[in-house]
């Protein structure tokens, strides 16, 4: 059993669809699109207030950095932290090249498919995610409420490394063809999970940092989807029934491996859980909406 994408159905109308009618999002889907961005922004604010602005939150996250640096991380050899090692995109020095290549690919797909509205929205998602990340990091303070070590008081909320795969994958989901879109989203979910786990396991970011970036990217996606004209808005996708389970299972495995450390099972599980939560938020943001209804086409 599969689910349908409006853009695919517009090219191949349903047998039962009345001639002279066009697809229109159902009221439930419209409410869902309108509510996704505010909910993600509210979640971002809640994560910041609890994890950064309370002694409990700061102590909890600071306690996760009590190990022996980045070396015990399983992904250390692929994180770019090791001497002359290759970093998985977008870690370490690969962050900017990954961003530039991703934007170029989105622009190229937009030109080939001539999906101008979606292309502009996709690039807007990427730029808005990175821009809001920089802005919030500058204006949101990290008060030292627990007399932490000097190495733990630097503001790191939200994570720029996680913002790159989240923004690029969500932007690419808008310009991809309906046939490829669900598989692209599945690959983006795995990429985000591995990145979020890796930056935690190597002590570059806290769990709240990766959750904050993911919520920002999801908010930007929800806003872009709401602003797109109805005919170009993302809709229900044709996706195999088993794909969600497979994608989330692979993301859980990727989060567990990328977030694992040799010196602490507790840290490994916390890092993996935060990374998988990022992947689940990403998947839920791009999940298919309810069924469509039709309306007469003017003229």
């Amino acid at each position: 059993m599969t689910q349908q994408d409006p853009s695919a159905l517009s090219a191949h109308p349903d047998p039962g669809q009345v001639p002279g009618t066009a697809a229109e999002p159902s009221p439930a889907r419209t409410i869902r699109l309108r509510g996704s961005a505010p909910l993600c922004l509210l979640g971002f604010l809640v994560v910041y207030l609890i994890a950064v602005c309370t002694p409990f939150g700061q102590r909890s996250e600071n306690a996760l950095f009590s190990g022996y640096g980045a070396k015990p991380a399983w992904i250390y050899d692929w994180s770019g932290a090791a001497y002359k090692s290759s970093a998985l995109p977008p870690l370490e020095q690969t962050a900017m090249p990954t961003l530039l290549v991703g934007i170029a690919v989105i622009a190229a797909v937009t030109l080939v498919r001539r999906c101008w509205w979606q292309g502009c929205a996709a690039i807007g998602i990427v730029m808005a995610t990175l821009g809001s990340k920089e802005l919030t990091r500058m204006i949101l303070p990290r008060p030292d409420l627990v007399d932490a070590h000097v190495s733990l008081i630097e503001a790191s909320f939200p994570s720029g490394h996680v913002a790159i795969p989240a923004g690029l994958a969500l932007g690419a989901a808008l310009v991809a063809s309906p046939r490829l879109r669900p598989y692209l989203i599945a690959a983006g979910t795995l990429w985000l999970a591995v990145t979020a786990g890796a930056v935690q396991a190597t002590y570059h970011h806290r769990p709240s940092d990766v959750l904050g970036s993911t919520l920002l990217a999801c908010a930007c996606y929800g806003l872009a989807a709401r602003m797109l004209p109805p005919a170009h808005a993302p809709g229900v996708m044709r996706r195999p029934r088993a794909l969600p389970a497979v994608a989330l299972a692979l993301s859980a495995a990727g989060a567990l491996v990328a977030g694992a450390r040799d010196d602490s099972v507790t840290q490994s599980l916390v890092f993996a859980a935060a990374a998988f939560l990022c992947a689940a938020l990403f998947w839920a943001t791009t999940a298919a909406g309810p069924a469509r209804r039709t309306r007469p086409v003017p003229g």
Side-chain angles (χ1 to χ4, degrees):
M1 184 176 183
T2 57
Q3 296 173 321
Q4 303 289 333
D5 188 295
S7 58
L9 289 174
S10 62
H12 306 282
D14 292 329
Q17 182 172 326
V18 180
T21 62
E24 180 180 275
S26 70
R29 175 162 178 79
T30 301
I31 294 173
R32 180 178 180 178
L33 285 175
R34 290 180 178 178
S36 61
L39 285 176
C40 289
L41 290 176
L42 178 61
F44 176 86
L45 181 61
V46 169
V47 170
Y48 169 74
L49 291 177
I50 294 178
V52 181
C53 297
T54 66
F56 168 78
Q58 288 195 4
R59 287 195 185 95
S60 299
E61 292 199 310
N62 289 348
L64 297 172
F65 293 85
S66 59
Y68 301 96
K71 285 188 177 181
W74 288 12
I75 204 168
Y76 176 74
D77 292 336
W78 294 95
S79 67
Y83 181 65
K84 291 185 178 180
S85 64
S86 299
L88 292 173
L91 303 177
E92 294 294 339
Q93 72 277 6
T94 64
M96 186 56 65
T98 301
L99 176 62
L100 296 178
V101 170
I103 293 176
V105 170
I106 290 175
V109 174
T110 301
L111 291 174
V112 171
R113 300 193 65 234
R114 297 186 178 184
C115 50
W116 312 119
W117 282 103
Q118 294 96 324
C120 292
I123 295 178
I125 289 172
V126 178
M127 302 309 295
T129 300
L130 272 294
S132 58
K133 184 272 300 181
E134 292 292 341
L135 181 62
T136 52
R137 182 177 290 188
M138 288 189 298
I139 65 176
L140 295 179
R142 182 177 181 83
D144 185 11
L145 305 177
V146 294
D147 193 23
H149 188 270
V150 65
S151 62
L152 298 175
I153 62 176
E154 180 182 359
S156 60
F157 179 89
S159 167
H161 287 97
V162 172
I164 292 175
L168 287 176
L170 288 171
L174 283 184
V175 298
S177 66
R179 189 181 300 274
L180 296 179
R181 186 176 299 135
Y183 302 101
L184 177 65
I185 293 173
T189 305
L190 176 59
W191 186 25
L192 177 61
V194 171
T195 304
V199 296
Q200 294 177 89
T202 54
Y203 286 2
H204 282 87
H205 283 286
R206 305 170 174 88
S208 61
D209 300 340
V210 299
L211 289 172
S213 290
T214 304
L215 287 166
L216 274 182
C218 293
C220 292
Y221 179 88
L223 182 61
R226 178 181 178 183
M227 295 179 65
L228 280 173
H232 303 282
V236 185
M237 289 178 293
R238 180 188 296 273
R239 82 174 37 151
R241 177 184 294 181
L243 185 60
V246 172
L248 291 176
L250 290 175
S251 299
L256 187 60
V257 172
R261 291 176 60 90
D262 291 328
D263 56 349
S264 176
V265 175
T266 301
Q267 290 180 13
S268 301
L269 293 178
V270 172
F271 295 155
F276 178 72
L277 182 56
C278 291
L281 287 170
F282 177 93
W283 183 269
T285 299
T286 57
R292 304 173 303 138
R293 62 187 177 89
T294 58
R295 59 176 173 81
V297 175

